[in-house]
Amino acid sequence: MTKAVPDYNMQYKGEDADFASPLSISETDRYIDHLMAALNFTPSDPLIFILTGIPGLEHAHIWISIPFSVCYIINLLGNVMILLVVGKEQTLRQPMYLLLCMLALTDISMSTLVVPKALCIFWFNWKGIALGGCLTQMFFLNTVLVTQSAVLVAMAFDRYVAICDPLRYATILSNSRIAKLGLVGLVRAVFYILPMPLLMSRLPFCASRLIPHTYCENMAVAKLSCGDMTVIRMHGLVISILNTGVDVGLIAMSYGLIIRAVFRISSKKAHQKALNTCTAHICVLMTFWIPGLFSMMTHRFGQGIAPPVHIILANLHLLLPSMLNPVIYGVKTKELRDKVVKFIRRK
């Protein structure tokens, strides 16, 4: 019985046509050869993949590039402003703001790993990416995601100490200790993610080289392999449990202790003040986890959902938090907001 060609092998009519019926292997190879010729690649070049952008919406790529560009600009302006203000103002060199700087760095890194390549696809039709470049993008993107999750855990711990043990706050969370926590989070991320590109680099890849995405998403690349995916799937499952499960558990435990401590306070004004110190972090957690949860659920259980929806949700999961985080902290943190206004007026 003949094996069916996977769904992501779709027929193109010209450069910007919608996906239609599945291609045969030879037709796919001809399309790849045509793209490689257009991109000045030769058969002797390394293995080249084709990032298709958002399949089915090729005709709207220029319009789709506008929100991508706006998100990226707001992200850069907001997060660079936070880094400059915290670096300039001595009074802001506290654990909370150092953690905010770490969050800003992960936000800038995440969007920079995704948006420039997506805009090259949307604007210039530069769809080719070598296997090495694809695995590099995959490694750094996932490393930044895991590091950002660790920073959010550290921020939850910071709020716990500030509310539950304020007298020892400066002792427990010194700036040097915050720096060590950040380093541990980065090392943990590298340890978690490094096996994935190493394992994928050893896989044989089939004739199809079309990645229906704007970036090298893990499973979209893995599906192109003809090799045994058991180890890679197991690695992904273990990392999801270790990272998501442990981090969500630690954050939930921190906020459980915070809520218990708040309800022990008799003054309603003190209740409000304590909870207000957590508002910005809770909003950031929601922007980080909710788009990711929607993306994961539609990927695993939304077989009837159109591919463009999957891809747009995956991009929102990466771009939306990076854009909103500096806005949330700028609005919710009065001290930071005042320093930003002062910094702008000084300029």
Side-chain angles (χ1 to χ4, degrees):
M1 188 173 181
T2 307
K3 186 177 180 181
V5 179
D7 291 337
Y8 45 80
N9 266 349
M10 298 293 185
Q11 183 177 9
Y12 281 80
K13 297 177 181 179
E15 291 293 329
D16 297 318
D18 296 341
F19 278 7
S21 59
L23 288 173
S24 67
I25 295 299
S26 60
E27 287 172 322
T28 303
D29 287 342
R30 283 199 296 273
Y31 173 69
I32 293 170
D33 290 341
H34 172 69
L35 268 180
M36 290 175 70
L39 298 170
N40 295 323
F41 293 136
T42 65
S44 60
D45 286 327
L47 181 61
I48 302 296
F49 293 116
I50 307 299
L51 288 165
T52 62
I54 303 179
L57 296 177
E58 290 84 357
H59 60 282
H61 272 177
I62 293 296
W63 295 106
I64 295 170
S65 71
I66 295 174
F68 271 69
S69 302
V70 170
C71 285
Y72 190 48
I73 292 169
I74 294 174
N75 172 9
L76 289 181
L77 289 176
N79 286 299
V80 169
M81 180 63 69
I82 286 175
L83 293 172
L84 289 175
V85 170
V86 174
K88 185 80 173 177
E89 299 290 339
Q90 292 285 343
T91 57
L92 295 183
R93 294 181 188 176
Q94 305 169 23
M96 173 184 171
Y97 295 106
L98 293 180
L99 287 169
L100 186 56
C101 286
M102 292 180 191
L103 185 66
L105 288 172
T106 60
D107 286 337
I108 293 171
S109 301
M110 191 180 305
S111 58
T112 301
L113 286 165
V114 173
V115 175
K117 180 58 182 177
L119 293 180
C120 286
I121 296 170
F122 296 153
W123 290 345
F124 310 113
N125 209 33
W126 293 349
K127 300 180 177 181
I129 184 169
L131 174 61
C134 196
L135 295 179
T136 300
Q137 184 192 47
M138 190 187 305
F139 167 72
F140 281 108
L141 186 56
N142 284 279
T143 298
V144 170
L145 276 168
V146 176
T147 303
Q148 188 173 66
S149 181
V151 171
L152 292 175
V153 173
M155 294 176 91
F157 181 64
D158 169 79
R159 293 300 83 202
Y160 159 73
V161 176
I163 293 172
C164 299
D165 200 356
L167 297 179
R168 294 202 303 148
Y169 180 83
T171 305
I172 296 172
L173 289 177
S174 61
N175 288 348
S176 60
R177 191 161 294 172
I178 290 295
K180 290 175 183 177
L181 284 174
L183 181 60
V184 169
L186 178 60
V187 171
R188 183 193 73 152
V190 172
F191 178 76
Y192 279 0
I193 301 302
L194 186 58
M196 180 181 59
L198 294 178
L199 290 169
M200 283 194 179
S201 67
R202 301 173 65 87
L203 289 174
F205 287 91
C206 306
S208 174
R209 300 180 190 176
L210 302 178
I211 302 175
H213 222 297
T214 56
Y215 62 91
C216 291
E217 194 270 334
N218 302 354
M219 292 312 300
V221 177
K223 287 178 180 177
L224 303 183
S225 174
C226 308
D228 185 5
M229 298 294 299
T230 304
V231 176
I232 291 177
R233 290 182 187 278
M234 288 299 298
H235 172 264
L237 179 62
V238 170
I239 295 306
S240 295
I241 294 171
L242 286 176
N243 183 58
T244 306
V246 171
D247 288 2
V248 169
L250 289 173
I251 291 171
M253 184 174 66
S254 296
Y255 274 99
L257 294 172
I258 287 171
I259 291 170
R260 188 181 69 172
V262 167
F263 280 114
R264 287 179 175 176
I265 302 173
S266 57
S267 170
K268 289 186 178 180
K269 187 176 180 180
H271 279 183
Q272 186 177 3
K273 184 178 179 181
L275 291 175
N276 281 342
T277 63
C278 302
T279 304
H281 184 246
I282 292 171
C283 291
V284 167
L285 288 174
M286 291 175 65
T287 62
F288 182 77
W289 292 114
I290 291 177
L293 181 63
F294 270 105
S295 179
M296 182 186 71
M297 295 296 287
T298 55
H299 181 75
R300 292 186 179 275
F301 306 109
Q303 286 79 8
I305 298 176
V309 176
H310 289 284
I311 297 168
I312 290 170
L313 283 174
N315 280 283
L316 283 176
H317 168 45
L318 299 179
L319 301 181
L320 195 62
S322 301
M323 178 186 70
L324 293 179
N325 288 346
V327 177
I328 291 169
Y329 271 97
V331 171
K332 293 292 184 180
T333 311
K334 184 179 184 301
E335 186 179 7
L336 178 63
R337 183 173 66 248
D338 292 343
K339 295 296 184 183
V340 168
V341 172
K342 180 181 175 183
F343 181 83
I344 293 173
R345 286 176 178 174
R346 191 184 302 162
K347 294 297 179 182

Short mmCIF file of all heavy atoms in Angstrom, two decimals, residues 35 59 72 116 132 134 145 147 177 187 195 220 225-226 239 242 256 272 293 301 304 333:
data_model
loop_
_atom_site.label_atom_id
_atom_site.label_comp_id
_atom_site.label_asym_id
_atom_site.label_seq_id
_atom_site.Cartn_x
_atom_site.Cartn_y
_atom_site.Cartn_z
N LEU A 35 12.86 27.26 -6.31
CA LEU A 35 13.14 28.23 -5.25
C LEU A 35 14.65 28.38 -5.03
O LEU A 35 15.15 29.48 -4.84
CB LEU A 35 12.47 27.80 -3.95
CG LEU A 35 11.07 28.34 -3.69
CD1 LEU A 35 10.56 27.81 -2.35
CD2 LEU A 35 11.04 29.85 -3.69
N HIS A 59 -0.95 35.85 -0.26
CA HIS A 59 -1.37 37.10 -0.91
C HIS A 59 -1.46 38.25 0.09
O HIS A 59 -1.46 39.42 -0.32
CB HIS A 59 -2.73 36.88 -1.59
CG HIS A 59 -3.82 36.49 -0.62
ND1 HIS A 59 -3.93 35.21 -0.12
CD2 HIS A 59 -4.80 37.22 -0.03
CE1 HIS A 59 -4.97 35.16 0.72
NE2 HIS A 59 -5.51 36.36 0.78
N TYR A 72 7.28 44.47 16.92
CA TYR A 72 8.73 44.47 17.08
C TYR A 72 9.23 45.85 17.52
O TYR A 72 10.08 45.97 18.42
CB TYR A 72 9.40 44.06 15.77
CG TYR A 72 10.88 43.79 15.89
CD1 TYR A 72 11.38 42.98 16.92
CD2 TYR A 72 11.78 44.33 14.98
CE1 TYR A 72 12.74 42.72 17.02
CE2 TYR A 72 13.14 44.07 15.08
CZ TYR A 72 13.61 43.27 16.10
OH TYR A 72 14.96 43.01 16.20
N PRO A 116 12.77 39.41 12.26
CA PRO A 116 13.52 39.75 11.05
C PRO A 116 13.41 38.71 9.94
O PRO A 116 13.23 39.07 8.77
CB PRO A 116 14.97 39.87 11.57
CG PRO A 116 14.81 40.28 12.99
CD PRO A 116 13.61 39.53 13.47
N GLY A 132 21.76 24.14 9.34
CA GLY A 132 22.48 24.69 10.50
C GLY A 132 21.82 25.94 11.05
O GLY A 132 21.69 26.11 12.26
N CYS A 134 18.68 26.76 10.71
CA CYS A 134 17.38 26.37 11.27
C CYS A 134 17.54 25.81 12.68
O CYS A 134 16.82 26.19 13.59
CB CYS A 134 16.73 25.33 10.35
SG CYS A 134 14.97 25.08 10.62
N LEU A 145 13.03 30.94 25.67
CA LEU A 145 11.73 30.64 26.27
C LEU A 145 11.88 30.02 27.65
O LEU A 145 11.18 30.41 28.60
CB LEU A 145 10.94 29.70 25.35
CG LEU A 145 10.14 30.35 24.22
CD1 LEU A 145 9.65 29.29 23.24
CD2 LEU A 145 8.97 31.15 24.77
N THR A 147 14.54 30.19 29.59
CA THR A 147 15.14 31.19 30.48
C THR A 147 14.10 32.19 30.96
O THR A 147 14.08 32.56 32.15
CB THR A 147 16.27 31.95 29.74
OG1 THR A 147 17.24 31.01 29.27
CG2 THR A 147 16.95 32.95 30.67
N ARG A 177 22.86 37.80 44.39
CA ARG A 177 22.08 36.57 44.39
C ARG A 177 21.11 36.53 43.20
O ARG A 177 20.89 35.48 42.60
CB ARG A 177 21.33 36.43 45.71
CG ARG A 177 20.69 35.08 45.93
CD ARG A 177 20.39 34.84 47.39
NE ARG A 177 21.61 34.73 48.18
CZ ARG A 177 21.63 34.67 49.51
NH1 ARG A 177 20.50 34.75 50.19
NH2 ARG A 177 22.77 34.56 50.16
N VAL A 187 21.78 28.55 32.43
CA VAL A 187 22.46 27.25 32.34
C VAL A 187 21.44 26.12 32.27
O VAL A 187 21.60 25.16 31.49
CB VAL A 187 23.42 27.07 33.54
CG1 VAL A 187 23.96 25.65 33.57
CG2 VAL A 187 24.56 28.07 33.45
N PRO A 195 20.29 19.13 23.76
CA PRO A 195 20.16 17.82 23.09
C PRO A 195 19.25 17.84 21.86
O PRO A 195 19.46 17.05 20.93
CB PRO A 195 19.56 16.93 24.20
CG PRO A 195 19.97 17.57 25.47
CD PRO A 195 19.95 19.04 25.20
N ALA A 220 7.45 21.21 13.31
CA ALA A 220 7.37 21.43 11.86
C ALA A 220 8.63 20.93 11.16
O ALA A 220 8.57 20.37 10.06
CB ALA A 220 7.15 22.91 11.56
N SER A 225 11.53 14.74 8.77
CA SER A 225 12.54 13.68 8.88
C SER A 225 11.95 12.32 8.55
O SER A 225 10.79 12.04 8.84
CB SER A 225 13.12 13.66 10.29
OG SER A 225 13.98 12.54 10.44
N CYS A 226 12.78 11.48 7.93
CA CYS A 226 12.40 10.09 7.67
C CYS A 226 12.87 9.17 8.78
O CYS A 226 12.60 7.97 8.75
CB CYS A 226 13.03 9.61 6.36
SG CYS A 226 12.73 10.67 4.96
N ILE A 239 11.10 17.55 28.80
CA ILE A 239 11.40 18.97 28.99
C ILE A 239 10.12 19.74 29.32
O ILE A 239 10.12 20.65 30.16
CB ILE A 239 12.10 19.54 27.75
CG1 ILE A 239 13.47 18.89 27.56
CG2 ILE A 239 12.23 21.06 27.87
CD1 ILE A 239 14.37 18.95 28.77
N LEU A 242 9.40 18.96 32.96
CA LEU A 242 10.37 19.56 33.86
C LEU A 242 10.24 21.08 33.89
O LEU A 242 10.26 21.69 34.96
CB LEU A 242 11.79 19.18 33.43
CG LEU A 242 12.24 17.74 33.72
CD1 LEU A 242 13.63 17.51 33.16
CD2 LEU A 242 12.23 17.46 35.22
N GLY A 256 0.34 31.01 46.49
CA GLY A 256 -0.44 30.42 47.58
C GLY A 256 0.02 30.95 48.93
O GLY A 256 -0.81 31.31 49.79
N GLN A 272 -4.81 45.61 50.03
CA GLN A 272 -4.76 46.18 48.68
C GLN A 272 -3.33 46.51 48.27
O GLN A 272 -2.93 46.25 47.14
CB GLN A 272 -5.63 47.44 48.62
CG GLN A 272 -5.76 48.03 47.22
CD GLN A 272 -6.68 49.22 47.18
OE1 GLN A 272 -7.19 49.65 48.22
NE2 GLN A 272 -6.91 49.78 46.01
N LEU A 293 -0.71 28.41 25.97
CA LEU A 293 -1.68 27.33 26.19
C LEU A 293 -2.60 27.17 25.00
O LEU A 293 -2.86 26.04 24.55
CB LEU A 293 -2.50 27.63 27.46
CG LEU A 293 -3.55 26.60 27.86
CD1 LEU A 293 -2.89 25.26 28.18
CD2 LEU A 293 -4.36 27.09 29.05
N PHE A 301 -4.83 19.28 19.69
CA PHE A 301 -6.21 18.79 19.62
C PHE A 301 -7.06 19.47 18.56
O PHE A 301 -8.21 19.10 18.36
CB PHE A 301 -6.89 18.97 20.99
CG PHE A 301 -6.13 18.35 22.13
CD1 PHE A 301 -5.50 19.14 23.07
CD2 PHE A 301 -6.03 16.96 22.24
CE1 PHE A 301 -4.79 18.58 24.11
CE2 PHE A 301 -5.32 16.40 23.28
CZ PHE A 301 -4.70 17.20 24.22
N GLY A 304 -8.99 20.09 13.17
CA GLY A 304 -9.88 20.72 12.20
C GLY A 304 -9.61 22.20 11.99
O GLY A 304 -10.26 22.82 11.14
N THR A 333 3.83 50.02 37.60
CA THR A 333 4.88 50.33 38.58
C THR A 333 5.14 51.83 38.57
O THR A 333 5.78 52.36 37.66
CB THR A 333 6.17 49.56 38.26
OG1 THR A 333 5.86 48.18 38.05
CG2 THR A 333 7.18 49.68 39.38
#
